[in-house]
Amino acid sequence: MKKINKYLFWFLAFGFTTLVFVQCATQKNVSNSGENKKGTPEYVLQKSGVQIWAESCIRCHNTASPATFSDVEWEVALTHMKLRAQLTQLEAQKVLEFMKSAN
Amino acid sequence: MKNKYIISSASLIILAALQLNAQSTSDTTDPKPGNSRFMLRGYSDATFQSNDEESTFGNARFIPVFLYQQSDKLFYEGELEFAYEDGEVEIAIEYANFYYSLAPNVHLRAGKILVPFGIFFDRLHPSWINRLPTNPLGYGHDGLLPTADLGIELRGASYLGNMKFNYSLYTTNGPRIEDGEGEAEEVGMIKHESSLDNNNNKSIGGRLGIFPLKDQSLEIGFSALSAKLGDRDSDLENIGAFLYAIDWTFVRKLSFLGGIVDLKGQLNFINIDDQTYEVEEDSVTETYSFTNKSNTSFFQLGYRPTFGNSQFVKNLELVGRYSTLNTPEEAPWETESSQLTLGLNYWIDWRTAIKFAYQMENITGGHAEDGEEPEELDVNTFYLQWTLGF
């Protein structure tokens, strides 16, 4: 049983790493400006910032209203959430645009 | 040896990636006055608790979080905890790490990191996020599960076909084992918050979270952590531990229930290699041999009404959590505990709440001596906590 667990673990670990570096390799030349859409499913591209805000920001804590922060503060907070809460670049970008338009 | 190899190749890859990235970096932000990319945030809380034994204003905490965005790629987060309890101020660094974005969805995190083993510590432990004033069984600064550790991690999120996933892979100094010299009654227990790195082995772990639904309302996570626990050159040097966990999150507005349903939980399995421990207590050597497997779990359900016009009702939240902890039979720290916590919260804003909770805990076992029946203890405690995020 324990052996199987270990194999499973290494298999998963190997899987993650490969995935991460494939990602890295395919995206290294893409700028951070949100044009990075390769590999993103169509339904995600079509989501609006307000939609992502409504469905994603509530998963861990209560949703912050756009009025909470200024534009600059939202930039820092959403970069923080992108990293900490594992949002994709595109999600963070879209939510940031929505926050800036509605605060 | 193997670990050294892994770590050096990981650093090589990271360096190579940094090199690649450096060529396209020209985006350091220019911090003008009033436009600084520095944010001081955090939270504060205080708890009152009352049961048959005591009734007390437990502790008060002030927890500042420092965030600094140096450029599009480099970000720092650090959290201090000041706790006032029993007349003393305790200070701790909860985490202190930087992030470097290697690619839009690949981030390196290094420093003292919150270990992403499941969801509780990484995401839910701040009191303005935790729906209840207490932690589930097995979590806490002296629990069986990892909290924060020194190390490096790769994390991010992306899509696999149509499905979103997030990942993290890390290596840290890792836990150690209680050999009985420090705390005889905890011999064989895994210790996550060791202040010293006791061996050359690093722990390796990861978490993969998948989002089967397109609206991200459901996330299922799988975590694993593998480590060697023993001190360098000791009899216990080769004891290994393998921990794994499954977690879930389901948060969604369900109109037929007139509110937001918030389901979260985590199952944890802690397996440590078998070993016979010899402990000297009052100059008598005791021998302990047991199958060193423990498990803990929690299941939480929250409900926040959204129906009607009353803002008062909409600010309320009902929460229930059931949690279990089972540690090895025959270990001096053997226990079979369960805990049911019921809570009512009133949210003043998204990060400020008053929480009332009633916790019923049943603890069997504990440190029973030979020939004694394990004790059974029921403790019911009432909690009142206020928490404020700023």
Side-chain angles (χ1 to χ4, degrees), chain B residues 11 25 30 174 314 344 347 361:
Chain B
S11 6
T25 315
D30 176 22
K314 287 183 184 170
L344 176 68
W347 289 96
E361 210 165 321

Side-chain angles (χ1 to χ4, degrees), chain B residues 61-334:
Chain B
R61 301 188 304 160
F62 164 54
I63 298 152
V65 176
F66 297 75
L67 304 171
Y68 180 66
Q69 184 171 3
Q70 196 267 348
S71 70
D72 280 356
K73 296 204 164 68
L74 192 56
F75 193 94
Y76 177 81
E77 66 169 356
E79 184 177 290
L80 283 171
E81 176 181 320
F82 297 87
Y84 181 73
E85 193 170 9
D86 301 329
E88 278 178 33
V89 180
E90 279 187 23
I91 303 176
I93 294 188
E94 289 282 289
Y95 56 79
N97 54 252
F98 68 84
Y99 292 90
Y100 188 84
S101 297
L102 300 172
N105 293 323
V106 187
H107 316 290
L108 174 77
R109 167 155 85 157
K112 184 172 183 191
I113 62 174
L114 287 173
V115 180
F117 184 81
I119 49 175
F120 192 81
F121 260 97
D122 195 19
R123 300 179 179 179
L124 307 179
H125 87 275
S127 56
W128 66 274
I129 300 183
N130 189 355
R131 266 44 194 147
L132 291 165
T134 57
N135 288 350
L137 291 170
Y139 299 81
H141 285 295
D142 48 6
L144 297 173
L145 300 168
T147 51
D149 201 354
L150 290 164
I152 55 171
E153 181 197 3
L154 277 178
R155 64 194 268 122
S158 189
Y159 302 93
L160 246 181
N162 260 340
M163 189 177 67
K164 181 181 163 177
F165 72 92
N166 55 34
Y167 65 88
S168 70
L169 252 186
Y170 54 88
T171 169
T172 65
N173 280 344
R176 62 177 183 88
I177 194 144
E178 178 57 61
D179 59 10
E181 274 176 33
E183 304 259 1
E185 65 285 359
E186 293 189 346
V187 64
M189 200 190 262
I190 190 166
K191 295 281 172 186
H192 290 279
E193 298 200 339
S194 32
S195 44
L196 290 174
D197 189 17
N198 61 334
N199 54 32
N200 295 343
N201 256 292
K202 299 290 143 264
S203 76
I204 297 180
R207 179 177 178 277
L208 174 69
I210 56 168
F211 295 81
L213 304 178
K214 287 186 175 171
D215 64 3
Q216 298 196 35
S217 55
L218 177 67
E219 176 181 356
I220 302 171
F222 306 91
S223 309
L225 169 64
S226 163
K228 285 264 190 292
L229 305 181
D231 286 351
R232 203 176 282 126
D233 302 327
S234 73
D235 293 347
L236 307 180
E237 186 170 6
N238 285 319
I239 296 191
F242 186 78
L243 288 76
Y244 59 97
I246 299 173
D247 62 74
W248 57 91
T249 301
F250 176 79
V251 184
R252 193 168 179 185
K253 186 170 169 180
L254 295 178
S255 25
F256 68 94
L257 290 175
I260 298 164
V261 168
D262 184 331
L263 262 171
K264 291 194 172 89
Q266 188 171 326
L267 306 178
N268 308 288
F269 303 89
I270 300 126
N271 299 330
I272 297 168
D273 292 346
D274 289 347
Q275 174 79 28
T276 303
Y277 303 90
E278 290 189 342
V279 185
E280 248 194 54
E281 265 180 295
D282 308 329
S283 35
V284 185
T285 306
E286 290 245 19
T287 310
Y288 294 101
S289 184
F290 48 89
T291 311
N292 203 340
K293 287 187 187 338
S294 309
N295 60 66
T296 94
S297 67
F298 82 87
F299 304 81
Q300 183 176 304
L301 170 66
Y303 171 76
R304 182 126 186 227
T306 51
F307 62 84
N309 294 326
S310 158
Q311 195 54 46
F312 180 82
V313 172
K314 287 183 184 170
N315 290 348
L316 292 174
E317 182 178 43
L318 288 169
V319 196
R321 184 185 69 204
Y322 180 71
S323 169
T324 63
L325 169 68
N326 297 303
T327 58
E329 271 177 49
E330 308 287 318
W333 39 287
E334 168 181 356

